[in-house]
Amino acid sequence: MEKEELRLLCKPLMELNSIENCQLLLEKYIDFIFAVIRKHHYENVDTQAKADSKIIFQMFFTKAINIRKTLEGLEYDNGKYKLNGIIDPTILYALVRSVFEALCAFELVYMIPDTEDKKRIMYNLYKLSGLKYRQRFNDSSATPDMQKKYNAELAEINESIDIIKNTALYRTLSLKNKEKIDRAIKDKSYQLMIDSSNKVKLYGWGDVPALFGAQHSLLKNAYTLFSLNAHPSYVSMFQFRDMFPKNNPEYIQISLSAMYYCFVFFSIFIADYIKLFPTVRDTYASLSNVDQILLNFHNKLIRGENYSISDVWKKIE
């Protein structure tokens, strides 16, 4: 295929100037993710942590399906009154925020740690964070079966704490850095990184993307944007009030903006999932040049050539 022909095929799904083009690109992601699940889910892994990462991959699939349904819009007709089809960006942003948080969790646990001890610490912080929050339900309202389950999970929490504190890395940390790990355990948090000097640094969700190379200015304050739109904030209220005029419906442009972020996160996730599971690269390489370029486009745009899945993008340069 000639360079100009490739460009013409890719351009509409790179520019994403319509909901229809967003739907077309999203379908390519859905098809690829499903193909990876079907071909690679049961391949052997060497740790429970890696097995769990495959479940996160499945979660990305269902998130994509939910986003597809949201882009189809909603309408109301009771036989007497009818509401024309619209997209609710507050719902869309809530879904995109969930994609963002899932990506950050995946990166913090699987991609950013560069030693086995760091990976072990991060995985167990991630694990005990969720299990400790679940302990809030272990009260008099819980059924006997649920209380039994919560007690078993409490044992898992204590086991994860022991695993963390018995790593050679934790034992050799300075007191100050050990206290940061201990604070994360107490606060049920895993938004941290242990750097090359073994210094522990704590982060908010909005600061995490820079840790996996997503330092583009377009992502600055992105998490605040998601939260403002997904929560019932004053901002989301007055934006909702003003986004559905007949002549120039703002909800379309707001939805396009949300989908831009969505594709950035899906593209980065796929690129790094391939790094974690190199056999997936063969499935990616079996795609057409157009699909390879499009699935990698936002990843390369935000993080640069060094993070690119392959060099197929050069066919349109």
Side-chain angles (χ1 to χ4, degrees):
M1 188 179 293
E2 295 295 327
K3 181 182 294 186
E4 285 305 315
E5 186 181 358
L6 261 180
R7 284 178 176 172
L8 286 173
L9 290 170
C10 292
K11 186 177 179 181
L13 302 193
M14 289 177 171
E15 294 181 342
L16 297 173
N17 290 326
S18 70
I19 295 298
E20 291 75 19
N21 283 339
C22 288
Q23 290 171 315
L24 289 172
L25 181 57
L26 182 62
E27 205 62 31
K28 292 181 182 295
Y29 277 98
I30 289 171
D31 288 346
F32 175 72
I33 294 171
F34 182 74
V36 172
I37 292 171
R38 186 172 58 84
K39 294 179 182 179
H40 301 282
H41 181 73
Y42 291 105
E43 290 176 349
N44 290 332
V45 294
D46 54 1
T47 65
Q48 182 60 47
K50 278 194 173 181
D52 290 344
S53 74
K54 293 190 175 188
I55 305 302
I56 294 176
F57 193 82
Q58 291 182 351
M59 292 169 70
F60 270 79
F61 179 72
T62 59
K63 290 177 192 299
I65 296 293
N66 273 287
I67 291 168
R68 179 174 69 181
K69 294 294 291 183
T70 302
L71 289 180
E72 291 172 2
L74 54 91
E75 58 185 25
Y76 174 77
D77 187 349
N78 68 359
K80 185 176 180 181
Y81 300 102
K82 183 178 180 179
L83 173 68
N84 292 329
I86 60 167
I87 297 171
D88 183 348
T90 64
I91 302 300
L92 185 57
Y93 264 111
L95 289 169
V96 173
R97 192 179 80 158
S98 77
V99 173
F100 171 82
E101 290 172 343
L103 171 64
C104 288
F106 174 80
E107 297 287 343
L108 286 166
V109 175
Y110 297 102
M111 302 309 300
I112 296 171
D114 56 4
T115 70
E116 289 305 312
D117 268 3
K118 290 178 186 178
K119 291 176 183 177
R120 193 170 293 111
I121 288 172
M122 291 306 304
Y123 173 73
N124 281 282
L125 284 175
Y126 170 63
K127 178 180 178 180
L128 67 85
S129 171
L131 293 181
K132 285 186 75 174
Y133 273 113
R134 287 243 298 183
Q135 287 296 307
R136 292 181 177 179
F137 304 109
N138 190 8
D139 56 25
S140 59
S141 67
T143 65
D145 284 345
M146 290 308 299
Q147 287 179 343
K148 185 177 179 180
K149 187 169 187 175
Y150 294 142
N151 289 335
E153 289 179 353
L154 181 59
E156 289 188 61
I157 290 169
N158 292 328
E159 180 184 34
S160 284
I161 294 173
D162 287 342
I163 290 172
I164 290 169
K165 294 191 174 183
N166 284 322
T167 59
L169 175 57
Y170 179 88
R171 292 198 304 268
T172 58
L173 289 176
S174 68
L175 177 60
K176 181 179 179 180
N177 287 300
K178 282 182 181 177
E179 288 174 346
K180 289 181 179 179
I181 297 286
D182 294 345
R183 175 184 163 190
I185 293 172
K186 180 180 178 181
D187 293 346
K188 301 176 283 292
S189 172
Y190 59 94
Q191 294 102 287
L192 62 82
M193 182 187 76
I194 305 171
D195 69 14
S196 57
S197 301
N198 290 341
K199 292 182 180 178
V200 179
K201 299 181 179 180
L202 308 177
Y203 295 90
W205 282 118
D207 302 315
V208 173
L211 303 181
F212 52 87
Q215 302 182 66
H216 199 287
S217 60
L218 290 171
L219 291 182
K220 186 178 181 181
N221 298 319
Y223 190 65
T224 301
L225 175 67
F226 306 152
S227 298
L228 278 174
N229 283 279
H231 290 158
S233 66
Y234 179 77
V235 172
S236 68
M237 180 278 295
F238 74 66
Q239 285 186 332
F240 188 90
R241 178 194 65 201
D242 298 334
M243 69 174 61
F244 301 108
K246 290 183 179 179
N247 296 331
N248 185 26
E250 293 182 12
Y251 76 86
I252 294 177
Q253 192 57 46
I254 296 172
S255 297
L256 291 176
S257 175
M259 288 308 299
Y260 169 81
Y261 288 109
C262 181
F263 290 128
V264 167
F265 303 144
F266 271 109
S267 187
I268 291 173
F269 177 68
I270 284 174
D272 285 351
Y273 193 81
I274 288 172
K275 289 180 184 177
L276 187 63
F277 295 104
T279 58
V280 176
R281 184 177 298 277
D282 293 337
T283 301
Y284 173 80
S286 71
L287 299 174
S288 67
N289 285 337
V290 170
D291 286 359
Q292 288 187 59
I293 291 168
L294 289 172
L295 295 187
N296 184 49
F297 173 70
H298 289 90
N299 168 57
K300 176 182 168 293
L301 176 69
I302 294 299
R303 301 201 293 179
E305 293 180 21
N306 290 339
Y307 289 90
S308 182
I309 301 173
S310 71
D311 290 336
V312 177
W313 60 272
K314 291 182 180 179
K315 293 179 181 291
I316 60 171
E317 291 294 307

